Amino acid sequence: MGQGTSQTLAPLTARAGWKKLQQHSASMRDAHLRDLFAADAKRGERMTASGAGLYLDYSKNRVTDETLQLLVQLANEANLRGRIDAMFRGDKINSTENRAVLHVALRAPRGEKIVVDGEDVVPKVHEVLDRMAAFAQRVRDGSWRGQTGKRIRNVINIGIGGSDLGPVMASEALRHYATRDMTFRFISNVDGTDFVETTRDLDASETLFIISSKTFTTVETMTNAQSARKWLLDQLGGDESAIAKHFAAVSTDAAKVSAFGIDTKNMFGFWDWVGGRYSMDSAIGLSTMIAIGPEQFREMLAGFHEMDEHFRTTEFSKNLPAIMGLLTVWYVDFLNAHSIAVLPYDQYLKRFPAFLQQLTMESNGKHVTLDGRTVDYMTGPVYWGEPGTNGQHSFYQLIHQGTHLIPCDFIAFAKSLNPIARHHNLLLANVLAQAEALAFGKTAAQVEAEGTAKELVPHRVFEGNRPSNMILADHLTPKILGALVALYEHSVFTQGAIWNINSFDQWGVELGKVLAQRIAPELESPSEPPLKHDSSTNALIRRLRADGRH
Ligand code: G6Q
């Protein structure tokens, strides 16, 4: 078992690479990017790497060649190469759920072979993709008709978490490529407002719901799906035969889909080896495929695959996801950073940070190793962000002059998909200026030389030495989006491999779900229920019950 190899490894903090990095970090704490650049005229050209259409400039990080060598040593000592091979081979590296982790199979070209439990999964992947393509084509060209004979104008994906965030992000990111004669909307929150506000102006006879749920048991999704069913039948006169024309399902559970009343001809499957947050390129991407069409969806898969191959075959010192993952470990464990800001300079990527929050934090927000020991080092950082330039006018202040070290990932494109006037040059000027200002800052001497009043000088000093990555591509395409998502998927994998944690389970979301199941009937009970929570929860339940909801 791939990640099982951890048992044969020394604990992370006892390894030679870790100890050397600890010593090295003491000398690096005071190293300033100004000096690192001054000492090496070619740094900005040398500390770069390319792959799958992406260019990464990591020169504005607080690292030297020695840091990178030691990080690669750390990767080797963690058997990163062996772990990558184990994932691509289909080993059950999600050991707490005894599952393979094969999102890479979702974008494997026809003819490749990946065997899980004795079965090649690649043909199954392509069979579902072909069925999705046929369905998407019919919805797009209007040959799929609703109950009253009208064509579909509105597609609503109902799902949550991994069954929502990827499709939402892709819907925004690829809007330029999407058909403009349909609307694409998303309902995730169990808050009825989400359902009501999303549907209020829509005609049910032109609306297709896609119920996306791997398990088909998730309370939020099932509650919204029932409301969708009622909303549709209320508008269309109550004939249940309308369900088959207005509902499709994406799930791993055909029996539950059928029990809900959805024709399994309109069901698109995936498998337990696809984690929710790694599923936007599975059938969970059906709304994306309807929006951009099957060909462009396949282009997106090709971008994912190109980055997969880059990650699988490139030496770590030139490997984009490995470099980004190792830099994250460097900042979190050796330079005391707690969060990473992701700052796309592209309006289409406005939901990319939200998508990444789940991908990164649900994956690496873990405090025990694969063999169940509590870690004695920091693991997954907080990821957050907003598109530039908006963020510049709000939270960048803290990144520039605050007391926290916040490494930034800037994402930008050479060309705009909407080239009007000077907009794009101004956008690019801003992203370059921010990275420059963060790294090099402005010294007291420079501030004084500008004639600044003495008492204002400290306020106007920029210390600099704030690290960032710059990720560039030519322009945003489905293929580039695939490569970008895979870049972060594999960066997360790299981090998880070093930390020796399971990046593919999410037990941390369970407890709240169980408690909510217990509290809901207590809120709804007609008679005063006996409450056995803590005094705070008991009092809050009584207070909300007094509002007459039972
Ligand atoms: C993702 C998580 C989680 C999951 C949702 C929805 O990795 O497992 O976010 O995607 O809880 O689950 P269902 O698809 O089963 O409804």
Side-chain angles (χ1 to χ4, degrees), residues 236-287:
L236 297 184
D239 179 353
E240 300 237 337
S241 66
I243 301 294
K245 310 228 174 67
H246 293 272
F247 279 80
V250 179
S251 184
T252 54
D253 196 327
K256 293 206 175 73
V257 168
S258 195
F260 182 86
I262 297 177
D263 189 342
T264 47
K265 280 203 298 263
N266 307 339
M267 169 182 159
F268 302 90
F270 59 119
W271 307 273
D272 73 357
W273 40 262
V274 183
R277 54 194 175 274
Y278 297 88
S279 69
M280 62 170 278
D281 46 343
S282 71
I284 290 290
L286 183 60
S287 62

Side-chain angles (χ1 to χ4, degrees), residues 160-163 212-218 221 270 275-278 284 358 362 506 513:
I160 196 164
S163 299
S212 294
S213 176
K214 182 171 165 181
T215 55
F216 232 71
T217 55
T218 306
T221 301
F270 59 119
R277 54 194 175 274
Y278 297 88
I284 290 290
Q358 180 187 26
E362 204 166 37
Q506 56 283 316
K513 279 195 208 168

Side-chain angles (χ1 to χ4, degrees), residues 12-81:
L12 178 55
T13 53
R15 293 182 207 152
W18 182 276
K19 290 186 173 159
K20 284 193 212 161
L21 277 162
Q22 254 177 340
Q23 281 167 7
H24 173 70
S25 65
S27 64
M28 284 300 290
R29 244 168 235 138
D30 297 324
H32 199 292
L33 283 165
R34 278 198 283 260
D35 304 322
L36 296 176
F37 271 83
D40 175 2
K42 295 257 180 226
R43 184 180 167 98
E45 288 157 50
R46 214 164 42 78
M47 288 192 167
T48 63
S50 311
L54 301 181
Y55 174 82
L56 169 67
D57 172 358
Y58 59 92
S59 63
K60 294 194 190 79
N61 282 289
R62 286 164 65 168
V63 293
T64 61
D65 290 336
E66 187 188 354
T67 324
L68 292 162
Q69 276 158 18
L70 291 175
L71 287 168
V72 169
Q73 178 180 341
L74 196 68
N76 290 332
E77 288 174 358
N79 188 24
L80 177 59
R81 173 65 57 212

